[in-house]
Amino acid sequence: MKVVLENVTKRFPNRDKKIKTEVTAVNNVSFTIPDGKLIGLLGPSGCGKSTTLFMICGLHKITEGKIFFGEDDVTNLSPENRGVGLVFQNYALYPHMTVKQNIMFPMENFKGEDKLTKEQMLERTMQVAKLVQLDGLLERKPSELSGGQQQRVAIARALVKMPRVLLLDEPLSNLDARLRLQTREEIRRIQRETKITTVFVTHDQEEAMSISDEIVVMKDGVVQQMGVPQTVYQDPANLFVAKFLGTPPINVFTGKVSGGALYIGAEKIMATPGVADQDVYVGIRPEGFVVSDNGCLTCDFRQVETMGGFMSVVSTHENSENPIIRSTVTDDIKIAEDAKTVKFDIKPNKIYIFNKETEERIRIEG
Amino acid sequence: MVNSKHQWKAWIYLAPAIAVLLVFTVWPIFNTVRMAFLENYSGLEATNGATFSFGVGNFVKVLKYKRFISCLKNTMILCVLTVPISTILALLIAVGLNSIKPLQKILQTIFFLPYVTNSIAIGMVFAAMFNIVGAFYGTENELIVTAGIINNVIEFFGGTPVNWINYGSQYSANIAVMTVYIVWNALPFKILVLLGGLQSINKQYYDAARVDGSSRRRIFARITVPLLSPMLAYVVITGFIGGFKEYTSIVGIFGENMGPADDAGRLNTMVGFIYDSLSTNSQGRASAAALILFGIILVVTLLNLYVSKKKVHY
């Protein structure tokens, strides 16, 4: 089921009733979620991603705009008539029901020709339980389950009614780091097996990048960029997207374009044909640095850090926006312990320049 | 755990409370049991130096009393009627209050007002409302001129006025008035407890149920009530305990007569019986009745707890 958002806007009345102006949580958002894909809605907290999810679900009324499931306009449909499955951030499992009763609950609401017999319900419960690997736990109460198991019950409860769209609100935020890794693969697997169009909300870019077919990056209620994770990472539309994606984060410098070349401080970094002279932000991915004696960028050397399989050079630069510059490097580099400076060459495809005012990407021709 | 070195300090802090409890709770309880098992014990005679033999005569006597059986019956009937009615009404009102936004605080206050009002005063108002005539007690041939507001309403809708509580009134009419009054009086506390319970239920359960397409009735039956069950159990248990101790409400409506003018004592309750026994210096009889009342409350509470253990989700 394809999901289309058309100029969707959500405004909330101000909490302080004396202030008449409304708060715009989601501002004119349009995007299309292809059928059967797993989409990550990504952004910092308060960016409107959960509000967007709840509007797709129907729990939040839309102020302006339209939402379509396939060809159906569902804008004014209540959640129960949209055929969506929703997994809440804290799962919202009914504490007084067993796992089995929790999973069966949505099916008991079926009316008319959809109505199922007790046997059919049980059969479907068993199928879904098997899919999310809960087979042996059906008679337990939610309080007797671990966080990861509760999560799977919540997913099973959302899946059992065979929704047209599955929505997950911060599905992994209540799990510990190890379980989070495992569960996100699980979500990926379940989505692949069921082929249900799935939207999930997260503020963790790694999570979104690792399992999504496409990601939608949001900020202040506005979609910044949508696309395949790797593409968005390699080709950010603006400084915000560049900063938000990637661990360790991108290194940002102030620089300027002058006479067809990019400068950081006094050092010429690269040629920028066709770019007008101006002050810019320069973003360089950590993996874009190559330690080289004849490098074009000179930084003050701090230390070399080794973490597991990664090695990074930590340095500073007076034009750096970040307090330190972190560059991931191959482990055969040689820098003297007492070195004062380190020189880098920059890989041209790992460097982006952004307009200083609008923070929009400036693309270099050629 | 209190360090044994400092235990004496803990005891000193507790001492005032323990002393008060010993004098006003523990000793009276012990004394009640003692008096109940002393044949025909009377406080007045005891101070004159009389001695009483040990036995269960007080209990036998109490249970043979016609008046005691009538008191027991009244208490039971009122309990069985008022506890379920007030609990269900309180639940509906609490759910209603919880689902409205504007005026919620004001309505909450209005519903809570009876709780802070004196029950004798409320009783007098109710008596006036259910009266046939302003203050006509007396013979059967009295002409009805004006009626209490309830009868006015009944007449307005074309019904015949009912003699609710006056001379010659029916027992069933008396019980109906008492039920209305006790339910009305019991509502505020129950609403308060249940509303508190409702407000502590996570809203996401309702969102989840809505997304799953549950009807409001199903949400109420399958989610609200089970999640509220600890509060419901509490309200029912305290309701029964309160019901068995019913006394002031009868006084409030019928005065010390405990019944209509032509049948004094008809609506007397267990506590009323104990009170009457004490006033005639029959402490043995009063104690025995009190122990019987205690036994009944104990059994009913245990029954409640047994049921709630199976039905209540904590």
Side-chain angles (χ1 to χ4, degrees):
Chain A
M1 186 64 55
K2 185 174 77 172
V3 176
V4 183
L5 276 76
E6 247 181 47
N7 308 103
V8 170
T9 296
K10 175 72 190 178
R11 281 190 283 269
F12 289 108
N14 206 303
R15 212 167 258 272
D16 185 350
K17 290 208 175 97
K18 281 174 200 146
I19 303 171
K20 283 282 183 285
T21 51
E22 291 176 316
V23 180
T24 307
V26 174
N27 194 358
N28 201 15
V29 162
S30 302
F31 58 85
T32 300
I33 300 167
D35 181 30
K37 296 286 186 196
L38 178 61
I39 301 293
L41 272 178
L42 177 63
S45 48
C47 74
K49 55 195 188 303
S50 285
T51 309
T52 307
L53 190 84
F54 285 131
M55 284 195 288
I56 298 174
C57 164
L59 282 173
H60 281 179
K61 277 221 163 66
I62 298 162
T63 315
E64 277 163 34
K66 284 198 156 123
I67 294 181
F68 296 90
F69 285 4
E71 301 306 316
D72 306 343
D73 182 352
V74 298
T75 312
N76 294 315
L77 285 185
S78 52
E80 63 268 25
N81 297 323
R82 290 192 186 192
V84 291
L86 177 63
V87 175
F88 287 88
Q89 184 167 4
N90 52 10
Y91 319 137
L93 298 177
Y94 309 123
H96 56 289
M97 298 185 197
T98 62
V99 169
K100 190 164 84 189
Q101 288 167 329
N102 261 291
I103 298 177
M104 275 170 75
F105 188 79
M107 289 188 283
E108 290 167 19
N109 295 318
F110 288 170
K111 289 185 202 95
E113 51 193 79
D114 298 333
K115 214 169 178 129
L116 299 175
T117 63
K118 188 106 197 188
E119 287 71 40
Q120 288 170 311
M121 280 194 237
L122 269 176
E123 198 190 315
R124 239 156 97 174
T125 305
M126 296 316 265
Q127 279 173 2
V128 175
K130 203 162 178 183
L131 178 71
V132 300
Q133 296 170 351
L134 278 172
D135 316 47
L137 307 169
L138 287 175
E139 295 306 325
R140 295 221 193 150
K141 289 268 179 73
S143 57
E144 295 162 336
L145 299 177
S146 70
Q149 289 166 335
Q150 288 182 18
Q151 165 75 292
R152 287 189 298 212
V153 179
I155 294 175
R157 190 177 65 181
L159 283 176
V160 78
K161 52 183 179 174
M162 307 196 174
R164 300 198 283 180
V165 180
L166 177 64
L167 306 166
L168 307 143
D169 183 18
E170 301 263 5
L172 307 174
S173 60
N174 283 356
L175 303 176
D176 64 57
R178 190 184 292 263
L179 207 53
R180 203 174 293 174
L181 273 177
Q182 194 186 330
T183 311
R184 76 186 191 199
E185 296 313 318
E186 195 81 339
I187 291 174
R188 186 75 191 131
R189 176 184 65 80
I190 293 166
Q191 197 272 333
R192 285 235 167 92
E193 278 178 39
T194 57
K195 296 191 181 62
I196 293 175
T197 309
T198 304
V199 184
F200 81 102
V201 158
T202 179
H203 59 260
D204 182 344
Q205 51 94 19
E206 213 181 311
E207 204 173 292
M209 303 269 288
S210 60
I211 60 169
S212 315
D213 290 315
E214 287 189 36
I215 57 171
V216 177
V217 185
M218 290 184 73
K219 181 198 170 197
D220 299 337
V222 178
V223 173
Q224 304 291 311
Q225 195 171 0
M226 178 176 181
V228 176
Q230 202 52 30
T231 312
V232 177
Y233 177 80
Q234 283 172 349
D235 193 12
N238 57 37
L239 184 62
F240 171 79
V241 176
K243 274 178 167 171
F244 199 73
L245 298 185
T247 15
I250 197 164
N251 301 290
V252 180
F253 300 84
T254 50
K256 65 172 188 287
V257 174
S258 174
L262 171 69
Y263 293 88
I264 293 176
E267 290 172 304
K268 182 180 168 188
I269 305 299
M270 65 193 286
T272 54
V275 180
D277 290 2
Q278 59 186 300
D279 286 342
V280 292
Y281 284 117
V282 184
I284 306 172
R285 292 278 181 213
E287 65 272 25
F289 294 90
V290 180
V291 178
S292 158
D293 289 340
N294 315 314
C296 58
L297 182 65
T298 314
C299 298
D300 298 325
F301 176 71
R302 283 276 189 82
Q303 74 224 41
V304 174
E305 272 180 13
T306 315
M307 274 202 311
F310 300 99
M311 218 170 151
S312 52
V313 175
V314 178
S315 56
T316 57
H317 191 283
E318 56 175 351
N319 288 90
S320 172
E321 290 281 293
N322 316 28
I324 56 159
I325 302 160
R326 193 177 289 276
S327 43
T328 48
V329 291
T330 46
D331 53 7
D332 56 355
I333 55 140
K334 299 229 161 22
I335 301 174
E337 287 263 332
D338 57 349
K340 284 274 184 300
T341 58
V342 58
K343 281 175 173 268
F344 296 107
D345 269 333
I346 310 295
K347 295 179 188 162
N349 61 339
K350 293 290 179 186
I351 181 164
Y352 316 105
I353 58 178
F354 304 93
N355 184 294
K356 193 123 191 198
E357 268 81 52
T358 62
E359 302 191 351
E360 289 299 314
R361 175 88 175 275
I362 301 167
R363 290 178 195 275
I364 302 161
E365 288 164 24
Chain B
M1 254 323 220
V2 182
N3 189 325
S4 58
K5 224 167 101 184
H6 295 295
Q7 235 175 36
W8 60 273
K9 263 190 192 167
W11 282 110
I12 287 176
Y13 293 143
L14 286 172
I18 290 176
V20 171
L21 283 174
L22 279 175
V23 173
F24 291 104
T25 305
V26 178
W27 167 246
I29 290 173
F30 170 77
N31 208 22
T32 304
V33 176
R34 187 181 72 94
M35 289 188 296
F37 286 101
L38 291 177
E39 302 279 5
N40 291 322
Y41 181 89
S42 159
L44 193 66
E45 290 170 38
T47 45
N48 293 339
T51 52
F52 306 93
S53 60
F54 182 83
V56 293
N58 288 328
F59 291 92
V60 176
K61 242 187 213 156
V62 164
L63 289 172
K64 275 185 180 162
Y65 255 111
K66 265 216 185 95
R67 284 195 46 206
F68 176 79
I69 300 302
S70 137
C71 290
L72 184 62
K73 189 183 78 179
N74 289 334
T75 310
M76 291 289 203
I77 290 175
L78 288 177
C79 261
V80 168
L81 282 175
T82 60
V83 173
I85 294 176
S86 63
T87 306
I88 290 167
L89 270 181
L91 178 61
L92 295 179
I93 293 172
V95 169
L97 270 179
N98 193 38
S99 63
I100 54 167
K101 281 254 163 62
L103 301 178
Q104 193 190 43
K105 286 273 177 282
I106 293 173
L107 287 171
Q108 222 171 304
T109 311
I110 291 171
F111 277 106
F112 195 65
L113 272 182
Y115 193 71
V116 290
T117 315
N118 183 297
S119 23
I120 301 287
I122 300 173
M124 287 166 84
V125 174
F126 265 74
M129 284 167 65
F130 280 99
N131 217 340
I132 327 176
V133 200
F136 282 77
Y137 294 104
T139 62
E140 297 164 57
N141 303 322
E142 210 109 49
L143 202 70
I144 297 167
V145 187
T146 57
I149 192 164
I150 303 290
N151 276 334
N152 282 336
V153 171
I154 291 174
E155 273 188 314
F156 181 81
F157 287 105
T160 29
V162 179
N163 186 352
W164 294 107
I165 53 173
N166 295 79
Y167 183 93
S169 56
Q170 298 281 322
Y171 178 70
S172 54
N174 298 163
I175 288 291
V177 173
M178 286 318 304
T179 306
V180 171
Y181 169 70
I182 293 170
V183 165
W184 191 80
N185 214 1
L187 277 180
F189 177 71
K190 292 186 168 146
I191 293 173
L192 191 77
V193 171
L194 295 179
L195 193 61
L198 281 173
Q199 283 170 348
S200 68
I201 296 178
N202 189 339
K203 298 269 177 297
Q204 286 207 328
Y205 296 134
Y206 294 111
D207 280 343
R210 260 186 72 203
V211 174
D212 289 343
S214 316
S215 61
R216 297 184 70 158
R217 187 188 292 177
R218 256 179 67 78
I219 291 179
F220 179 76
R222 293 288 307 274
I223 294 169
T224 306
V225 172
L227 289 178
L228 208 56
S229 54
M231 278 77 187
L232 282 170
Y234 172 74
V235 158
V236 168
I237 290 173
T238 52
F240 269 111
I241 293 174
F244 279 112
K245 297 198 297 190
E246 208 58 70
Y247 175 63
T248 43
S249 52
I250 317 282
V251 177
I253 289 199
F254 289 98
E256 280 180 275
N257 260 341
M258 304 299 278
D262 58 330
D263 195 356
R266 188 208 269 175
L267 288 164
N268 206 354
T269 58
M270 303 269 284
V271 172
F273 180 87
I274 295 167
Y275 190 76
D276 290 347
S277 305
L278 285 176
S279 65
T280 55
N281 253 314
S282 311
Q283 282 84 353
R285 199 168 73 199
S287 301
L291 284 187
I292 292 172
L293 179 59
F294 168 72
I296 293 172
I297 293 179
L298 185 69
V299 168
V300 170
T301 305
L302 287 177
L303 213 67
N304 271 324
L305 286 175
Y306 176 77
V307 173
S308 57
K309 212 170 222 169
K310 297 201 152 174
K311 294 279 178 196
V312 170
H313 153 78
Y314 287 103

